[in-house]
Amino acid sequence: MTEAIFGPVGRLVVEVVEGMGNFTLLIRSSFQWFFRARVEWRQTLIQMLFIGLESLPVTAMTTFFTGMVLALQSGASSKYFFNEPLFVGTVVAFSMVMELSPVMTALVVSGRAGAAIAAELGTMKVTEQVDALYTLGTDPVRYLVIPRVLAFLMVLPFLSVVSDFTGIFGGWVVAHAKLGIPTTVYWHDIVDNMEPRHFFHGFLKNYVFAFVIAFICCYKGITTSGGAQGVGRATTNAVVYSMVAVLVMDYFVTAVLVALGIP
Amino acid sequence: MIIAESVKKSFGHRSVLRGASLKVETGETLVIIGGSGTGKSTFIKTVIGLVKPDSGSIKVDGQDLTRIKTEEGLAAYRRNFGYLFQEGALFDSLRVWENVVFGLRYLTDTPFSQYRKIATDKLALVGLKDVEDLMPSELSGGMKKRVALARAIAAEPSYILYDEPTTGLDPIMSDVINDLIMDLQKQLKVTSIVVSHDMKSAYKIASRIAMIYEGKFIEVGTPEQIKTTSNPYVRQFVEGLSQGPIKMKIKEFEA
Ligand SMILES: Nc1ncnc2c1ncn2[C@@H]1O[C@H](COP(=O)(O)OP(=O)(O)O)[C@@H](O)[C@H]1O
Ligand SMILES: [Mg+2]
């Protein structure tokens, strides 16, 4: 009876703890390889191009429309209260730069590049290509994981800055064409209020997001088992875990940055 | 020389190797036979250090694998081996020639300028020509196995482990692979362990044959000895009979 109830729960607890332990080991092992100065720069470059090109159109598109929506809504609400659209540029730029660009970029990249990486590494695992790396004198952490982690760390901030611009541009399109706000007003609403620390608030988030997405997707990939079905499961899990981790980490990073006076 | 002593390995509750002991002499080709799922692949993966045994020891030229503690030590140990995976395990994002020379960067000091030529040479050794720039997905099953073999021998290991080199190939291609294994044996003077359940090929290439059953090696002998064995398990397997001491269930639900 107790076995029937606690058996599965116990196994689940063991599995979760074991999984987290292995995940931590992967991160540790990556740092060891990294500091032994054995970085595969060629692979890193290939991955940077892959992640960047794969995700750029989608992130640009997504944040462009987000900027448009922000302008429309803030314009509508300030019209309701003040009879004219005020501070639309400020609302769009602050929302994009501090919060929405990094988060939306991270979510889109999880779904595009993260999924692709989990599926690729998962397929390599179940077809023994990961084992083949060991027999040929290298190691999946060195050859597969580190290049992808580095690529994410370098590309995600870049994508996010592009998203800042596409978002603000999207906001401008609506402000200009639909709300009738002069371009100079929109622009001054932004530059008169924004300071470098606002930019860094959003920018620093990217590194945390890149780190969690890359490690989760690589971990899910190289621990895949169970053939084609296993690859599918690993891919879905990688995306879901990355997205949840991004949103959860976002809160804690924001809390830390606010505490440090980088609002 | 490879000496495995009472190697045990379980996956969860499933005990796969239950005290496997085997000695492989330098220069010989030892063929491991046994039914599907009896732990043949697990055994050779244990030998090369891809699977960590629960207990027992594996010594290669006097060095004990189970005492190696560091990643570097393990990598140096693996340097002795070439490994042919059951499905080839070619890197499908790399071209054929890049696959062949993949290990040279990590295992040797060969300058990069020679890679292309080495790839061509190794491919010629396994009977392939003009395939350097193809992708693995463009190759047939037999060609994939050959490319995988070229990759396994590229860094000139002293031991080659073959996991079912002829499974899934037509009879003629199987025999071509057999000839290849024997050629490599003569030319490179390597020591080989070949996993197979193809008896025809086993008799042809083996200097000795070892049968694995329920996680242990139950008989080791020359092809002649195996052909005339009195061990009923081995006899049933080599003659391919459904009746005998080895019970294979026709229906999974039969006891
Ligand atoms: N990594 C693993 N995890 C769990 N079970 C495994 C693993 N590798 C092998 N097994 C199990 O061990 C048994 C023996 O497998 P294997 O050595 O591949 O057999 P063979 O090569 O003789 O057909 C099989 O039942 C297989 O399911
Ligand atoms: Mg096998």
Side-chain angles (χ1 to χ4, degrees):
Chain A
M1 181 61 197
T2 39
E3 162 68 20
I5 298 170
F6 292 111
V9 177
R11 262 193 296 282
L12 187 69
V13 171
V14 169
E15 259 172 45
V16 169
V17 172
E18 204 178 312
M20 289 186 357
N22 288 336
F23 183 64
T24 317
L25 284 179
L26 173 70
I27 296 176
R28 196 187 76 170
S29 166
S30 303
F31 275 100
Q32 285 170 348
W33 278 107
F34 181 73
F35 287 113
R36 265 183 247 148
R38 307 249 187 86
V39 175
E40 304 258 358
W41 290 112
R42 202 178 108 89
Q43 288 303 311
T44 307
L45 198 67
I46 293 173
Q47 290 305 320
M48 284 174 67
L49 286 174
F50 170 76
I51 297 168
L53 295 178
E54 180 97 332
S55 313
L56 186 60
V58 198
T59 52
M61 195 56 184
T62 314
T63 47
F64 179 75
F65 277 95
T66 307
M68 288 175 53
V69 170
L70 283 173
L72 202 55
Q73 283 184 341
S74 62
S77 14
S78 62
K79 237 183 192 158
Y80 178 80
F81 287 113
F82 307 111
N83 264 327
E84 58 174 322
L86 290 174
F87 295 117
V88 171
T90 319
V91 170
V92 171
F94 273 68
S95 312
M96 289 312 300
V97 168
M98 290 179 64
E99 175 66 18
L100 290 173
S101 280
V103 171
M104 297 200 67
T105 307
L107 294 179
V108 169
V109 169
S110 302
R112 286 289 286 190
I117 281 170
E120 186 193 6
L121 300 197
T123 306
M124 290 186 70
K125 177 69 197 315
V126 301
T127 56
E128 299 190 309
Q129 292 175 56
V130 170
D131 281 342
L133 289 172
Y134 287 112
T135 70
L136 295 166
T138 182
D139 179 291
V141 172
R142 178 181 171 188
Y143 187 77
L144 301 172
V145 177
I146 292 179
R148 283 165 176 78
V149 172
L150 290 179
F152 266 105
L153 286 171
M154 290 189 267
V155 171
L156 201 61
F158 165 78
L159 288 173
S160 166
V161 170
V162 172
S163 295
D164 289 343
F165 284 105
T166 48
I168 290 171
F169 178 63
W172 172 79
V173 169
V174 168
H176 180 76
K178 201 157 161 61
L179 303 172
I181 300 171
T183 303
T184 47
V185 173
Y186 184 79
W187 181 243
H188 275 286
D189 278 349
I190 298 172
V191 291
D192 292 350
N193 296 305
M194 178 119 8
E195 291 168 29
R197 62 199 176 106
H198 298 121
F199 170 77
F200 279 110
H201 179 95
F203 191 71
L204 293 174
K205 286 181 181 177
N206 290 308
Y207 290 96
V208 177
F209 296 161
F211 192 85
V212 295
I213 298 171
F215 272 112
I216 289 175
C217 294
C218 288
Y219 175 77
K220 281 286 154 197
I222 63 172
T223 54
T224 302
S225 64
Q229 207 183 8
V231 175
R233 209 175 327 118
T235 309
T236 320
N237 282 342
V239 174
V240 173
Y241 291 0
S242 312
M243 287 185 171
V244 172
V246 163
L247 296 172
V248 172
M249 290 307 287
D250 185 36
Y251 175 77
F252 290 104
V253 179
T254 306
V256 169
L257 289 171
V258 168
L260 291 175
I262 313 172
Chain B
M1 190 162 65
I2 302 173
I3 304 169
E5 266 168 31
S6 355
V7 176
K8 294 195 176 131
K9 178 70 195 178
S10 305
F11 293 108
H13 295 297
R14 204 191 156 94
S15 153
V16 178
L17 300 177
R18 305 179 185 178
S21 299
L22 187 68
K23 197 164 156 183
V24 186
E25 302 289 345
T26 302
E28 79 167 327
T29 300
L30 184 128
V31 175
I32 297 176
I33 58 171
S36 299
T38 49
K40 302 183 299 295
S41 299
T42 304
F43 179 76
I44 56 172
K45 281 186 183 165
T46 311
V47 169
I48 195 177
L50 285 174
V51 169
K52 198 169 154 28
D54 300 329
S55 66
S57 76
I58 293 169
K59 292 201 182 81
V60 173
D61 300 332
Q63 190 189 15
D64 190 343
L65 165 67
T66 48
R67 284 169 192 272
I68 300 175
K69 295 284 176 264
T70 63
E71 278 297 319
E72 285 92 349
L74 207 52
Y77 169 87
R78 290 202 186 100
R79 210 161 289 218
N80 294 313
F81 296 93
Y83 193 105
L84 178 68
F85 286 88
Q86 197 164 335
E87 311 288 341
L90 295 177
F91 301 119
D92 35 38
S93 59
L94 302 179
R95 294 184 185 283
V96 163
W97 78 273
E98 294 170 318
N99 263 285
V100 173
V101 296
F102 187 90
L104 296 183
R105 258 185 73 198
Y106 306 101
L107 301 169
T108 69
D109 300 324
T110 321
F112 180 75
S113 56
Q114 289 175 26
Y115 281 15
R116 179 79 190 197
K117 175 162 181 338
I118 292 174
T120 307
D121 291 350
K122 300 295 173 191
L123 286 168
L125 210 55
V126 298
L128 289 175
K129 222 180 96 180
D130 299 333
V131 294
E132 287 88 339
D133 290 308
L134 297 180
M135 298 303 286
S137 57
E138 297 171 286
L139 304 175
S140 71
M143 284 161 95
K144 274 188 193 153
K145 285 238 161 121
R146 292 194 206 202
V147 174
L149 186 50
R151 183 177 74 178
I153 59 172
E156 304 183 345
S158 23
Y159 296 90
I160 305 180
L161 310 179
Y162 299 84
D163 198 351
E164 305 200 12
T166 59
T167 303
L169 303 181
D170 64 70
I172 298 173
M173 185 53 74
S174 296
D175 206 44
V176 170
I177 298 275
N178 288 337
D179 289 340
L180 214 54
I181 293 174
M182 293 195 300
D183 281 355
L184 291 174
Q185 176 66 22
K186 287 197 198 89
Q187 290 183 31
L188 309 177
K189 307 254 181 291
V190 292
T191 308
S192 308
I193 303 180
V194 183
V195 166
S196 182
H197 38 218
D198 171 356
M199 286 317 300
K200 192 164 162 268
S201 132
Y203 287 139
K204 182 166 178 182
I205 62 180
S207 52
R208 288 191 307 149
I209 295 175
M211 164 123 175
I212 191 168
Y213 180 67
E214 293 193 331
K216 287 185 184 139
F217 290 100
I218 54 167
E219 178 141 334
V220 185
T222 61
E224 293 313 313
Q225 289 168 336
I226 293 293
K227 270 181 203 163
T228 56
T229 180
S230 57
N231 185 321
Y233 291 91
V234 181
R235 168 162 306 185
Q236 186 195 348
F237 187 85
V238 300
E239 289 174 5
L241 305 172
S242 66
Q243 303 297 316
I246 305 174
K247 301 288 182 228
M248 296 253 187
K249 286 167 264 180
I250 296 174
K251 298 192 180 110
E252 275 299 329
F253 49 82
E254 277 180 359

